[in-house]
Amino acid sequence: MKEIEIEIQKRGKILPGNVLKVNSFLNHQLDPVFLDKMADQWYNLFKNDNVTKIITIEASGIALAVLTGLKFKVPVIFAKKSESSNIGKTYKSLIYSYTRHQSFVINIEKEFLTSDDRVLIIDDFLANGSATLGMIDIINQANAHLVGVGIAIEKGFQEGGKILRDKKIRVESLAIIDSMDDEAKKIHFKEMEKVVD
Amino acid sequence: MKEIEIEIQKRGKILPGNVLKVNSFLNHQLDPVFLDKMADQWYNLFKNDNVTKIITIEASGIALAVLTGLKFKVPVIFAKKSESSNIGKTYKSLIYSYTRHQSFVINIEKEFLTSDDRVLIIDDFLANGSATLGMIDIINQANAHLVGVGIAIEKGFQEGGKILRDKKIRVESLAIIDSMDDEAKKIHFKEMEKVVD
């Protein structure tokens, strides 16, 4: 885990208003080798949980999810933010993006998610939890089983992690940010008990 | 290549109007193991071309691009269809999606693409070529060098492939569809000279 925190500190840019810009490796330019190390972590954490499917949301979760799916050798579904003309019947959930200040409906085709599925959610960020809760809503609609949630960067100063853990959902964040110092350009990470290096 | 054609025939659904639905493995649900085989093909085709960067467009190109990027050990950039609030200065190009019947601007942050870069474009589909031409436009704006284009499925009955090859651009499509028979549910593939199995 430490390595991931060091890389985030080194490559992330802190912008005013507690915004962490990780465009250089996580959500515009991607560093496949670094992202693959994250995927290794989630594989080690969840490999005994009989995961049958991985779910994420387009666009920035896809890279992490497909690299993780390759290790589990299971299908990956990315929830779509719009319905294309040739999509079948979908499970839907309404989520709100604080980054974009807008609500949108995420869609997953019904045929790809069944009550036999044991689902791992993978995403790049956990902040207020809206995206994750939307995916969980869809997993519940399908009567599938949620195994847990793998997050690259959790903003520990926002409520998403607490909401999920209070529901007894297993959340494995590779780095949890306690606070960011805009002027000193320093990120303070939460000390984590579990280390899987 | 043959294996890819067989899988496309088996898993793709032909809808009226020459629409090939590949939602089950390529652009909604993803099959990481199959997609990784495609990445192997592009790696073998371009491994001697000193590729320094891979470019694709969100969302459905990301999975293929990141798996390919992992083999080349180079950064992957996915062009964004919208400008987020914390993105830097971008190269832009206007593309038109016939699937969605709308134009949109794709964006790549200027700092990630330089005149030293040797760029491989990776995408899931090549049809009219608008998306690929948009990416090439951005590569030209950055004075970077285009090494070639890796496409999973080319619709050979649309003009994109011809436009690119007429410009002497190296296009490596893993499967080229000549025609689709809506009633018989058969896909006819173009016989290709080059086989890299």
Side-chain angles (χ1 to χ4, degrees):
Chain A
M1 304 276 216
K2 270 293 176 215
E3 186 190 350
I4 288 172
E5 294 178 1
I6 291 164
E7 289 295 322
I8 292 168
Q9 177 71 68
K10 202 165 67 184
R11 305 197 204 186
K13 284 185 190 165
I14 305 169
L15 305 183
N18 276 332
V19 172
L20 177 64
K21 189 175 165 184
V22 288
N23 264 3
S24 68
F25 64 97
L26 188 60
N27 54 22
H28 177 31
Q29 182 170 254
L30 309 170
D31 178 341
V33 176
F34 183 35
L35 271 46
D36 196 50
K37 285 183 189 167
M38 296 188 184
D40 275 328
Q41 301 263 1
W42 292 312
Y43 181 69
N44 285 329
L45 287 161
F46 291 103
K47 68 184 169 198
N48 298 319
D49 292 285
N50 302 313
V51 170
T52 65
K53 217 150 271 180
I54 291 173
I55 289 184
T56 190
I57 297 187
E58 64 178 353
S60 46
I62 295 175
L64 292 168
V66 79
L67 292 169
T68 309
L70 187 59
K71 294 177 199 299
F72 281 95
K73 300 203 188 322
V74 300
V76 171
I77 308 170
F78 64 90
K80 297 204 165 200
K81 289 177 183 169
S82 62
E83 278 188 276
S84 89
S85 50
N86 58 23
I87 201 169
K89 290 202 170 163
T90 63
Y91 297 113
K92 295 172 198 300
S93 191
L94 183 71
I95 70 175
Y96 181 79
S97 165
Y98 286 85
T99 320
R100 294 180 184 275
H101 306 291
Q102 70 182 74
S103 299
F104 46 87
V105 174
I106 56 168
N107 294 273
I108 286 184
E109 255 194 78
K110 288 189 174 180
E111 67 170 300
F112 298 136
L113 201 57
T114 76
S115 57
D116 294 330
D117 277 318
R118 294 177 56 82
V119 182
L120 172 62
I121 290 174
I122 294 288
D123 213 351
D124 55 342
F125 271 101
L126 173 62
N128 62 77
S130 180
T132 310
L133 289 166
M135 287 187 268
I136 292 171
D137 177 24
I138 284 177
I139 290 165
N140 290 337
Q141 289 176 46
N143 291 313
H145 178 78
L146 174 67
V147 167
V149 181
I151 297 290
I153 303 174
E154 177 179 339
K155 292 184 170 177
F157 51 88
Q158 287 186 250
E159 72 276 22
K162 181 171 165 25
I163 292 170
L164 296 173
R165 290 182 185 97
D166 282 352
K167 289 177 188 284
K168 309 290 180 212
I169 290 166
R170 182 175 168 200
V171 182
E172 298 285 0
S173 300
L174 302 186
I176 301 179
I177 298 176
D178 251 350
S179 62
M180 290 188 282
D181 185 338
D182 184 3
E183 291 190 2
K185 305 291 174 203
K186 278 291 271 183
I187 301 169
H188 301 286
F189 292 97
K190 187 179 168 193
E191 287 293 325
M192 283 186 279
E193 290 154 35
K194 216 183 291 180
V195 177
V196 269
D197 281 332
Chain B
M1 306 277 215
K2 268 293 177 216
E3 185 190 349
I4 288 171
E5 294 177 2
I6 291 164
E7 290 294 321
I8 292 167
Q9 178 70 70
K10 202 165 67 185
R11 306 196 204 186
K13 284 184 189 166
I14 305 168
L15 305 182
N18 275 334
V19 173
L20 177 64
K21 189 177 165 184
V22 289
N23 264 5
S24 68
F25 64 96
L26 188 60
N27 55 21
H28 178 31
Q29 182 170 255
L30 309 170
D31 178 342
V33 176
F34 183 35
L35 270 47
D36 197 50
K37 285 182 188 165
M38 296 188 185
D40 275 328
Q41 302 263 1
W42 292 312
Y43 182 70
N44 284 330
L45 287 160
F46 291 102
K47 67 184 170 196
N48 298 321
D49 292 285
N50 301 314
V51 171
T52 65
K53 217 150 272 180
I54 291 173
I55 289 184
T56 190
I57 297 187
E58 64 178 352
S60 46
I62 296 175
L64 292 168
V66 79
L67 292 168
T68 308
L70 187 60
K71 294 177 199 297
F72 282 95
K73 300 203 188 326
V74 300
V76 171
I77 308 170
F78 64 90
K80 298 202 165 202
K81 290 177 184 168
S82 63
E83 279 188 276
S84 89
S85 50
N86 58 23
I87 201 169
K89 289 200 171 166
T90 63
Y91 296 114
K92 297 173 197 299
S93 192
L94 184 71
I95 69 176
Y96 182 78
S97 164
Y98 286 85
T99 320
R100 294 181 184 274
H101 306 290
Q102 68 181 75
S103 299
F104 46 88
V105 175
I106 57 169
N107 293 272
I108 286 184
E109 256 194 77
K110 289 189 174 180
E111 67 170 300
F112 298 135
L113 201 57
T114 76
S115 57
D116 294 331
D117 277 317
R118 295 177 55 83
V119 182
L120 173 60
I121 290 174
I122 294 288
D123 213 352
D124 56 342
F125 271 101
L126 172 63
N128 62 76
S130 179
T132 309
L133 289 166
M135 286 187 271
I136 292 170
D137 177 25
I138 284 177
I139 290 164
N140 290 338
Q141 289 176 48
N143 291 312
H145 178 78
L146 174 66
V147 167
V149 182
I151 297 290
I153 303 174
E154 178 178 339
K155 291 183 170 177
F157 51 89
Q158 289 187 248
E159 73 276 23
K162 181 171 164 27
I163 293 170
L164 296 173
R165 290 182 185 98
D166 282 353
K167 290 177 188 284
K168 309 289 179 214
I169 291 166
R170 181 175 169 200
V171 182
E172 299 285 1
S173 300
L174 302 186
I176 301 179
I177 297 175
D178 253 351
S179 63
M180 290 188 282
D181 185 337
D182 184 4
E183 290 190 1
K185 304 292 175 205
K186 277 290 270 184
I187 301 168
H188 301 287
F189 293 97
K190 186 179 170 193
E191 287 292 325
M192 284 186 278
E193 290 154 36
K194 216 182 291 180
V195 175
V196 267
D197 281 332

